[in-house]
Each structure stands twice: as C-alpha cells, then as structure tokens.
Amino acid sequence: MNERILAEDNQVVRRFFALDTQTYKPGALDVKTKEMLGLVASLVLRCDDCISYHVAQCKEAGVQRDEFFEVFSVGLVVGGSIVIPHLRRAVDLLDQLEQGSADTGATSCPDHA
Amino acid sequence: MNERILAEDNQVVRRFFALDTQTYKPGALDVKTKEMLGLVASLVLRCDDCISYHVAQCKEAGVQRDEFFEVFSVGLVVGGSIVIPHLRRAVDLLDQLEQGSADTGATSCPDHA
Amino acid sequence: MNERILAEDNQVVRRFFALDTQTYKPGALDVKTKEMLGLVASLVLRCDDCISYHVAQCKEAGVQRDEFFEVFSVGLVVGGSIVIPHLRRAVDLLDQLEQGSADTGATSCPDHA
Amino acid sequence: MNERILAEDNQVVRRFFALDTQTYKPGALDVKTKEMLGLVASLVLRCDDCISYHVAQCKEAGVQRDEFFEVFSVGLVVGGSIVIPHLRRAVDLLDQLEQGSADTGATSCPDHA
Amino acid sequence: MNERILAEDNQVVRRFFALDTQTYKPGALDVKTKEMLGLVASLVLRCDDCISYHVAQCKEAGVQRDEFFEVFSVGLVVGGSIVIPHLRRAVDLLDQLEQGSADTGATSCPDHA
Amino acid sequence: MNERILAEDNQVVRRFFALDTQTYKPGALDVKTKEMLGLVASLVLRCDDCISYHVAQCKEAGVQRDEFFEVFSVGLVVGGSIVIPHLRRAVDLLDQLEQGSADTGATSCPDHA
C-alpha cells in the first residue's frame, strides 16, 4: 500500500512519508530514544497500528522489557485508562515478539514509508 | 491479559489498574452514576472496548434502556457525529445484553483490573 | 455572541444550539445527573469553557463538593494527567462559586444557547 | 441499525441524526465541497467508518483521484503521521470504488441517518 | 518566532514547516477549497490559533459569510458541542475581519511558515 | 492549588497525583528519558501547561537544545501542524529558560503534585 501511495502524483503526501522516515533517524538522540518517543506518542493518541509499529521498532533498537513497561507507564498515566485496551494489545505483541512468534507482516511499517 | 500485566514488576502500571478499579466503587455517588460517567467519557473519547465494558457495567448496575439513550444523547451532542459509529456498536451490545445473548467474555473488563 | 450566532441564516447551527439545550433537560435522568455527564465529558475532552459551564450548572443542580470530586476522579482516571491543568481550574471555580465570588458572566453559557 | 436507533423514543438522538443528514445538503456550498469537508474532518479525527462513508459520498459527488489526494494531504499535514493508517485504508477503499469492487454494504451510511 | 524556529539546525522541523505551506498551494483543488478544509480540520481539533489563521486565509481567498457558516456547521456537527467555544471565537474574528478591525498581527501565520 | 486538591477527602484524586509523581522517578529509564517521553506525549495531546512543565523538567534533567528539537520534531510529525502553535510556545519558553528569564512560577508543577 505504501508503494501505491508513493506512486501517486501528490508531492505533499510523498514528502510527508519521507519526512516521517527521516524523523526516526539517529541524530542528537539515538534511534532507541526516538522510537520510545514515537511509541509513547502513539499510545496517548491511541492508534493500534502505530503502537504495533513502534513496539517492533523499539524491540529491534534494543528496548528491554522493563524499559517497555516504563514507556507504557508514562503513556498510561498521561493518557489515562482509555489507553488500557491499547496497552493490552501492545503487551500481547511484545510477548509474541519475545517468543519469536509475531506475524512480522502485521507489524511492518504501519506509519512509515 | 490483565493477570499478565499485573504480574509485571512495574508498580506504576499495577497501581494505575488498582486506582482504575477503585474509581468506580460507591462513594458520594453510587455505582450506577459512576458507571454512566465512565460510559459517557468513553463515548466522547471513542474507545469501543471501554464503551462495551461500561455498557455491561451500567446494565448490571440497573441502568434502564431510556436512561442509556439519555447517556448516549449527551455523548453524541458533546462529541458530535464522529461518535455515531461507536453509538451503533453500543446499541447493538445493549440489544444483545437485553436478549441475554452477548458474549460475556467479549465484554468483561476491557479497561479495569 | 449566542444571539449573534442564532441570528445567522444557518439552520444547522441554530438547530444544533437548540439540540444542545434540549440535551440537558430532565427526562429519564434528572438534570443533576445529566450535568455531571456533561462535566465529565468536558473534562476528558479538556475544554475549559465547557468545564466551567457545567461546573456552574452542576452547582446549581445541587451537586455537592464530595460528589464534584468523584466526577473529577472519573475524568482524571479516564483522561489521564493531561486533565490535571483543567481540573485545577475547575476546582478554583468551584471554590469561587462556594464563596459566592465567581464572575457569573465568565461562567454563563459557554456551550449552550 | 439506524432504523433501530431512530425507532427509539429519544428525541435528541433522532434530531441529531436528522441534523447530520441536513448538514451535507447543498446550500451556499455544494455537496462535493461539503463532503470533502466531512472527509477531512473524519481523517484528522481518525474514524475509519466515517472516513469510508465520506470517501464513498465524495466519489459519488464527483471528487476526482487527484482531488482526493489533496484532501488526504491536508488531513495528513494537519493531523500528522497518526493519520497514516487511516489514509492507507481510505486509499484502499478508493481503489476498490474505482474498480467497482467495493462492498457497498460496508460503506453505506456509517455516520448518517 | 517562525524565523527563530526555521533558523534552528533541525531539518525535520524546517521541512515540516515548508510542507505545511506547500499543502495549501493551488493544485487540483483551489486555495479557497483548501483553506476551508484547513479551517474545518482546525475546528474539529479545536485549536484557536489554527482556526484564526484559516478564518483569515479563507476570508482572503473569497469565502463568503454564508459559506463560512456552512463550514462551521460541518465542524460543529462532526465535532460536537465541545466545538462551540471555538466557534464563538471564530465568529467574533470573522465579524472583526468584516469590519476591518481585526488585529492582523494576532491572525498572522499561527500554523504556517 | 495542588495543596488544596490534595487536602480534599478524595483518595482517588490524591493517589493519582502521587502516581503521576512516581511515574517520572528514575527506574529502568533515567529521568531525562522519562521527561522527554512526558514532553512528547504532552505535545501530541496539545496541553500548554503540561508542555511547559516538561520543558522545564527536561532542561533541569540536562536535555540539550538540539535534543529538544528532536523531541519537538517527533511531536510535530506524529501530531501534525495542529501542534505548531504549542511548539512555538515551547520554543519561546526554552529560549527564556536558556536566558535565565523564565518566570519559574509559571512553569512549576502544572501536572504534578
């Protein structure tokens, strides 16, 4: 679907996708920190696809289980109990990733080019 | 899933879940009123899992069908037409609960410990 | 301002304002309950003008201080710490209303016709 | 489901549904413009059912593919990357509608009477 | 402030500001339509600064008063009564712009480079 | 105001404030990282009081200007142009803090006990 969208003749949409990718590149902050920022932002905005993507990216960047739960705790306290259903699904995905059983197709690139 | 989350060594998350449960205990306001408050808050924030949970809790606390629709009307007017798809699903669940056919597993504890 | 808006030749806007007023009339639920529903919805959506209006309406409908704090607690737990600045201002207004010093002009009809 | 909801004895809900329908009738702005307004509002509020409805209505009102992508670009830039998963599903539906293969039942009236 | 932000050595932020400006350039849709899209998106997301900016831009692009109220009506119905305080301020600014008395400093470029 | 709220006989509210404070204590993640998480969450939820608080806390925890702008860039890209007015005010506060001229009263404890 990303390919189809990027094939469209709309420069704003294409540039936005490129900018989104650029945002998480290492800079003053490393990839691990930036992905945790993306995860907590997705949690409080309650978007399951974005949460799944950033959980997978965080895992790949070396975020440990106790660190994940501290990111979750910030998202939960800032965003409130309305975040809980999304937190459950995030923990479920994390469990699957740790067991090597997550469907990688399901977690690939929900909000990035 | 709640058990798994509560088994984690993260005190903030565990305390949040406990606080969430405590919030709906009877106090100056009774359980019925508190559950209606939880329902309207879930409606305007548009979280289907939370709405389903509070519809089931409200039903158990004695909220009548005409009272449900007045809670829905507040949620609809405050939150706007963007609430409508969630309202449909809430009414569908309410119908099932009144017919005794709702899958109780599906409606148990979405946002509570 | 309401008068100016209602004087416009836009039937949808005028009807919405009328519907908003109708929503809080007594029905299966009494005014006190409906105003608490409006207050908690405004809290989790974090609109100071709407919160102020419903605090004043709740006060007039007989909501007691301990009941107010239970409405606040539902809004806080559902909506998270992002609600806190609004909660502070709500408590400040409540204190003023109890002391008879609130500027009634400031709290009149922010979201109603 | 709409019929069931409109059969309820709740005048506020019924009037809201009628007002929602009235909102998109031609007036100073034509139906095409109004449906694009409904679409961008649904995009930034991230409601898939509402987005699907307005994509179908826009298509019927004559919105062209390049126009759709400009509406999408406004929604994406105003609402941010959190909109992307919804944008994907909107493009997918648009593709289906252009190929005449969309399940019209799935896209009929999600947020209208 | 924009100049200060654009002078920072952060390419993502600078590119985002450029993209934001590009979004409202004429394309398949004209500036008037795009600004109305920006206005309704700002209304339902309830950002006064963004609403003020797009009201001023819409006025400049030739949006008439009855057209403004139809944009407002879509924002109000989609977003609900929580939009009303923002609608009041939008109408107040529109009145000032029509009387030539709006502080243009206050309405210049809130969300654009 | 915090003292007044904490003096109330409402255990849920008091516990929530305590939990909010606990959330940002060092654990698996250090204070600097947690405060950046709190900042980006506040940015995408667009709460000026919370943003100001976390900007001040981040500054105190040693976040550098280029790091601040990377946090801002994540908030901006995830949350969209609707975040821009809040970003401006955040940069303005950061400038004041760097010049030692920020009114510390204005930035103390907006969302914490």
Side-chain angles (χ1 to χ4, degrees):
Chain A
M1 176 51 77
N2 272 345
E3 284 170 28
R4 258 192 292 165
I5 290 175
L6 295 175
E8 293 293 328
D9 184 29
N10 186 295
Q11 202 179 52
V12 172
V13 171
R14 284 205 315 265
R15 285 187 175 171
F16 191 96
F17 275 63
L19 197 56
D20 185 27
T21 301
Q22 186 183 351
T23 304
Y24 299 92
K25 298 289 183 206
L29 299 172
D30 57 19
V31 170
K32 180 183 165 184
T33 302
K34 286 185 158 191
E35 285 295 339
M36 289 192 293
L37 293 174
L39 177 54
V40 81
S42 302
L43 267 170
V44 298
L45 289 178
R46 301 183 283 123
C47 172
D48 282 329
D49 288 323
C50 306
I51 293 169
S52 296
Y53 175 75
H54 287 295
V55 165
Q57 292 299 107
C58 280
K59 187 82 178 61
E60 201 166 300
V63 176
Q64 300 299 305
R65 191 173 178 91
D66 54 355
E67 294 173 324
F68 266 111
F69 272 82
E70 295 200 358
V71 178
F72 294 160
S73 74
V74 174
L76 184 58
V77 168
V78 173
S81 69
I82 207 83
V83 169
I84 292 181
H86 306 277
L87 174 62
R88 284 177 215 279
R89 290 187 280 269
V91 172
D92 194 50
L93 174 60
L94 178 60
D95 286 351
Q96 290 178 49
L97 289 171
E98 288 181 348
Q99 295 158 16
S101 64
D103 174 1
T104 57
T107 63
S108 66
C109 58
D111 75 348
H112 298 275
Chain B
M1 175 50 78
N2 272 345
E3 284 170 29
R4 260 194 289 167
I5 290 175
L6 295 175
E8 294 292 328
D9 185 28
N10 186 295
Q11 202 178 52
V12 172
V13 171
R14 284 206 314 265
R15 285 187 175 172
F16 191 96
F17 275 64
L19 198 56
D20 185 27
T21 301
Q22 186 182 353
T23 305
Y24 300 93
K25 298 289 183 208
L29 299 172
D30 58 19
V31 170
K32 180 183 165 184
T33 303
K34 286 184 158 190
E35 286 296 338
M36 289 192 293
L37 293 173
L39 176 54
V40 81
S42 302
L43 267 170
V44 297
L45 291 177
R46 300 183 283 126
C47 171
D48 282 329
D49 287 324
C50 306
I51 293 168
S52 296
Y53 175 73
H54 288 294
V55 164
Q57 292 300 106
C58 281
K59 187 82 177 61
E60 203 165 300
V63 176
Q64 299 299 305
R65 191 172 178 93
D66 55 355
E67 294 173 323
F68 266 110
F69 271 83
E70 296 201 357
V71 178
F72 294 161
S73 72
V74 174
L76 184 58
V77 167
V78 173
S81 70
I82 207 81
V83 169
I84 292 181
H86 306 278
L87 174 61
R88 283 177 215 279
R89 291 187 280 270
V91 172
D92 194 50
L93 174 60
L94 178 60
D95 286 351
Q96 289 177 50
L97 288 171
E98 288 181 349
Q99 296 158 17
S101 65
D103 173 1
T104 57
T107 63
S108 67
C109 59
D111 74 348
H112 297 273
Chain C
M1 176 49 79
N2 272 344
E3 284 171 28
R4 257 193 293 166
I5 291 175
L6 295 176
E8 293 293 328
D9 184 28
N10 186 296
Q11 200 178 52
V12 172
V13 171
R14 284 206 315 265
R15 284 188 175 171
F16 191 96
F17 275 63
L19 198 56
D20 185 26
T21 301
Q22 185 182 354
T23 304
Y24 300 93
K25 298 290 183 207
L29 299 173
D30 58 18
V31 171
K32 181 183 165 184
T33 302
K34 287 185 157 189
E35 285 296 338
M36 290 192 292
L37 293 173
L39 177 54
V40 82
S42 302
L43 267 170
V44 299
L45 290 177
R46 301 183 283 125
C47 172
D48 282 329
D49 288 323
C50 306
I51 294 169
S52 297
Y53 175 75
H54 288 295
V55 165
Q57 293 298 106
C58 280
K59 187 83 177 60
E60 201 165 300
V63 176
Q64 299 299 305
R65 192 173 178 93
D66 55 355
E67 294 173 323
F68 266 111
F69 271 82
E70 296 201 357
V71 177
F72 295 160
S73 72
V74 174
L76 184 58
V77 168
V78 173
S81 69
I82 207 83
V83 169
I84 292 180
H86 306 277
L87 174 61
R88 285 177 215 280
R89 291 188 280 269
V91 172
D92 195 51
L93 174 60
L94 178 60
D95 286 351
Q96 290 177 49
L97 288 171
E98 288 181 350
Q99 295 158 17
S101 64
D103 174 0
T104 56
T107 63
S108 67
C109 57
D111 73 349
H112 297 274
Chain D
M1 176 51 77
N2 271 346
E3 284 172 28
R4 259 192 290 165
I5 290 175
L6 295 175
E8 293 293 327
D9 184 29
N10 186 296
Q11 201 179 51
V12 171
V13 171
R14 284 205 314 265
R15 285 187 175 172
F16 191 97
F17 275 63
L19 198 56
D20 185 27
T21 300
Q22 186 183 353
T23 304
Y24 300 93
K25 298 289 182 206
L29 299 173
D30 58 19
V31 171
K32 181 183 166 184
T33 303
K34 287 185 157 189
E35 286 296 338
M36 289 191 293
L37 293 174
L39 176 55
V40 82
S42 301
L43 268 170
V44 298
L45 290 177
R46 301 183 283 125
C47 171
D48 282 329
D49 288 323
C50 306
I51 293 169
S52 296
Y53 175 75
H54 288 294
V55 164
Q57 292 300 106
C58 281
K59 187 84 177 59
E60 201 165 303
V63 176
Q64 299 300 305
R65 192 172 178 92
D66 55 355
E67 294 173 324
F68 266 111
F69 271 83
E70 295 201 357
V71 177
F72 294 160
S73 72
V74 174
L76 184 58
V77 168
V78 173
S81 70
I82 207 82
V83 169
I84 292 180
H86 306 277
L87 174 62
R88 283 177 216 280
R89 290 187 281 269
V91 172
D92 194 50
L93 174 59
L94 178 60
D95 286 351
Q96 290 177 48
L97 288 171
E98 288 181 349
Q99 295 157 16
S101 64
D103 174 0
T104 56
T107 62
S108 65
C109 56
D111 73 347
H112 297 274
Chain E
M1 175 52 77
N2 271 345
E3 285 171 26
R4 259 192 291 166
I5 290 175
L6 295 175
E8 294 292 327
D9 184 29
N10 186 295
Q11 202 178 51
V12 172
V13 171
R14 283 206 314 266
R15 285 186 174 173
F16 191 96
F17 275 63
L19 198 57
D20 185 28
T21 301
Q22 185 182 353
T23 305
Y24 299 94
K25 298 289 183 207
L29 299 173
D30 58 19
V31 171
K32 180 182 166 185
T33 303
K34 286 185 159 191
E35 286 295 338
M36 289 191 292
L37 293 173
L39 176 54
V40 81
S42 302
L43 267 171
V44 297
L45 290 177
R46 300 183 283 125
C47 172
D48 282 329
D49 287 323
C50 306
I51 293 168
S52 296
Y53 175 75
H54 287 295
V55 165
Q57 292 300 106
C58 281
K59 188 84 175 62
E60 202 165 299
V63 177
Q64 300 299 305
R65 192 173 178 92
D66 55 354
E67 294 173 324
F68 266 111
F69 271 82
E70 296 200 358
V71 177
F72 294 161
S73 73
V74 174
L76 184 58
V77 167
V78 173
S81 69
I82 208 81
V83 169
I84 292 181
H86 306 277
L87 174 62
R88 284 177 215 280
R89 290 186 280 269
V91 172
D92 194 49
L93 173 60
L94 178 60
D95 286 352
Q96 289 178 51
L97 288 171
E98 288 182 348
Q99 295 158 16
S101 64
D103 174 1
T104 57
T107 62
S108 67
C109 57
D111 74 350
H112 297 275
Chain F
M1 175 50 77
N2 272 344
E3 284 171 27
R4 257 192 291 165
I5 290 175
L6 295 175
E8 293 292 328
D9 184 29
N10 186 296
Q11 202 179 51
V12 172
V13 171
R14 285 206 313 266
R15 285 187 174 171
F16 191 97
F17 275 63
L19 198 56
D20 184 28
T21 301
Q22 186 183 352
T23 305
Y24 300 93
K25 298 289 183 206
L29 299 172
D30 58 19
V31 171
K32 180 182 165 185
T33 303
K34 286 185 158 190
E35 285 295 339
M36 290 191 294
L37 293 174
L39 177 54
V40 81
S42 302
L43 268 170
V44 298
L45 289 177
R46 300 183 283 125
C47 172
D48 282 329
D49 288 324
C50 306
I51 293 168
S52 297
Y53 175 75
H54 288 295
V55 165
Q57 292 300 106
C58 281
K59 187 83 178 61
E60 201 165 301
V63 176
Q64 299 299 305
R65 192 173 178 91
D66 55 355
E67 294 173 324
F68 266 111
F69 271 83
E70 295 201 357
V71 178
F72 294 160
S73 73
V74 174
L76 184 57
V77 168
V78 173
S81 69
I82 206 83
V83 169
I84 292 181
H86 306 277
L87 175 61
R88 284 177 216 280
R89 290 187 281 269
V91 172
D92 194 50
L93 174 60
L94 179 59
D95 286 351
Q96 290 178 48
L97 288 172
E98 288 181 349
Q99 296 158 16
S101 64
D103 174 1
T104 56
T107 63
S108 67
C109 57
D111 74 347
H112 297 273

